[in-house]
Amino acid sequence: MSSREVVVLSVGGVRFVTRASTLQQFPESRLARMVNDDDQEFKLVNGEFFVDRDGALFAYIMDFLRTLQVSLPTDFSDYQRLQREAEFYGLYPLADLLSQEHLLKPRLEILEVRFSLQEMQAFFRIFGSCSTTIEALAEQITVFTGQQSGQGWNSPFPSQKPLTPLPLDRPSHHDVVFLCGTEYSAGDQFVARYVSIKPDNRKLINGTNVLGLLFDTLLKDGFRLISARTVASEEKVECYTFERMKRAAGLAIMVNQTPGSSGVAQARRSQVRKGK
């Protein structure tokens, strides 16, 4: 069997097809011994290994063996059962990680948008509990500025004069601050600031429009609005609070294959991107 490249398993009635080398990632595991005919509990039935265990949970075992990462759905709750399955198969590095389920559980992420409308300008402050989310938003948001003649708040389009991108104000890793609108400069000249939020390519000067586009961006990214309140009525500061369940950073297993070693594993954190 050790020379066979493709292995078929029937786990609790669920059929899995994989490479022998995938099952041999951890040489001391029962799955590796099964491929090498060293574990008699796993019986060959019509060319398939029959395993009387939970087939649904084995799908996560297979994903781990293929990627050496633990990345579970946000609604996953069977940590103890999956840990028990990992122990049965002799995958103790995986079992150890699952015993620390607080590292794998999704976390509630809070994001706050403060919006203040003053004369012809709108001020925005975005605060987030997750700095990586704020960093991603900062990369999406661009403020453009330029001198405009006789153009005010309600001008729908910028003039043909070139606009210059401005860096966003970042008071901390958890904050981003910017403004849009117009202010008087000299004579009939205005300093105008337009905001663009990727992937939308419009340059908006009206603060209410920018707020609407920001809301759309957050909602599409999985956030939901949970509260809206006025925090400073004399300054017309409105506060909008959003939340979402954020998938925990993935945990990866580094396997060091050295002479005389049969799969020494070490865990490390790694960022797992969400497919979109």
Side-chain angles (χ1 to χ4, degrees):
M1 274 297 301
S2 59
S3 62
R4 182 180 295 179
E5 182 179 2
V6 177
V7 179
V8 181
L9 301 92
S10 177
V11 184
V14 183
R15 193 169 183 266
F16 296 88
V17 181
T18 186
R19 292 178 180 273
S21 57
T22 300
L23 300 175
Q24 294 169 322
Q25 289 277 15
F26 296 86
E28 291 183 349
S29 72
R30 296 189 69 183
L31 291 171
R33 297 203 305 270
M34 174 194 74
V35 174
N36 296 327
D37 288 334
D38 291 335
D39 195 317
Q40 298 304 313
E41 183 173 339
F42 300 99
K43 301 297 184 181
L44 267 176
V45 179
N46 297 324
E48 300 180 2
F49 282 103
F50 174 74
V51 185
D52 190 17
R53 302 294 293 191
D54 191 306
L57 291 178
F58 190 73
Y60 299 116
I61 300 283
M62 284 303 309
D63 181 66
F64 166 73
L65 290 173
R66 287 167 175 152
T67 66
L68 296 183
Q69 290 187 343
V70 185
S71 182
L72 301 172
T74 55
D75 59 350
F76 186 81
S77 60
D78 287 337
Y79 293 93
Q80 291 184 346
R81 290 183 60 217
L82 184 56
Q83 179 185 350
R84 189 164 61 243
E85 293 300 294
E87 290 172 347
F88 170 81
Y89 293 110
L91 296 170
Y92 297 108
L94 173 58
D96 290 342
L97 288 182
L98 291 167
S99 69
Q100 306 175 65
E101 60 183 82
H102 65 282
L103 297 177
L104 298 169
K105 284 185 175 179
R107 294 173 173 83
L108 181 64
E109 181 179 356
I110 301 296
L111 188 140
E112 180 183 275
V113 177
R114 294 202 174 197
F115 172 68
S116 176
L117 191 60
Q118 299 177 14
E119 296 182 354
M120 294 188 297
Q121 290 186 311
F123 297 82
F124 294 83
R125 174 184 177 268
I126 305 174
F127 173 83
S129 59
C130 178
S131 60
T132 55
T133 297
I134 296 299
E135 188 67 35
L137 272 175
E139 292 178 358
Q140 288 180 265
I141 299 171
T142 305
V143 177
F144 298 89
T145 186
Q147 287 278 344
Q148 309 296 328
S149 298
Q151 291 190 355
W153 173 261
N154 292 317
S155 177
F157 302 106
S159 71
Q160 296 303 311
K161 295 182 180 180
L163 298 176
T164 303
L166 290 176
L168 298 180
D169 187 9
R170 297 291 307 278
S172 75
H173 292 297
H174 293 270
D175 294 77
V176 60
V177 177
F178 61 93
L179 62 88
C180 66
T182 58
E183 61 181 345
Y184 289 109
S185 177
D188 65 345
Q189 296 291 309
F190 291 87
V191 175
R193 289 184 176 87
Y194 298 85
V195 173
S196 177
I197 304 178
K198 296 176 183 177
D200 194 297
N201 58 8
R202 291 174 296 170
K203 295 181 177 65
L204 303 176
I205 194 172
N206 184 291
T208 303
N209 293 340
V210 174
L211 184 66
L213 179 58
L214 179 59
F215 277 24
D216 287 345
T217 301
L218 295 175
L219 294 174
K220 289 177 181 177
D221 203 28
F223 283 97
R224 66 185 186 97
L225 180 66
I226 59 172
S227 72
R229 67 189 191 278
T230 300
V231 294
S233 57
E234 66 279 3
E235 297 178 359
K236 300 180 180 178
V237 178
E238 301 169 1
C239 179
Y240 301 91
T241 304
F242 295 80
E243 71 174 19
R244 72 173 174 183
M245 293 303 293
K246 180 178 176 62
R247 184 188 298 275
L251 286 174
I253 296 291
M254 301 301 294
V255 182
N256 300 319
Q257 300 289 357
T258 57
S261 169
S262 56
V264 180
Q266 179 181 5
R268 68 174 176 86
R269 295 190 75 94
S270 67
Q271 191 65 36
V272 177
R273 294 182 178 271
K274 293 171 59 179
K276 293 188 179 181

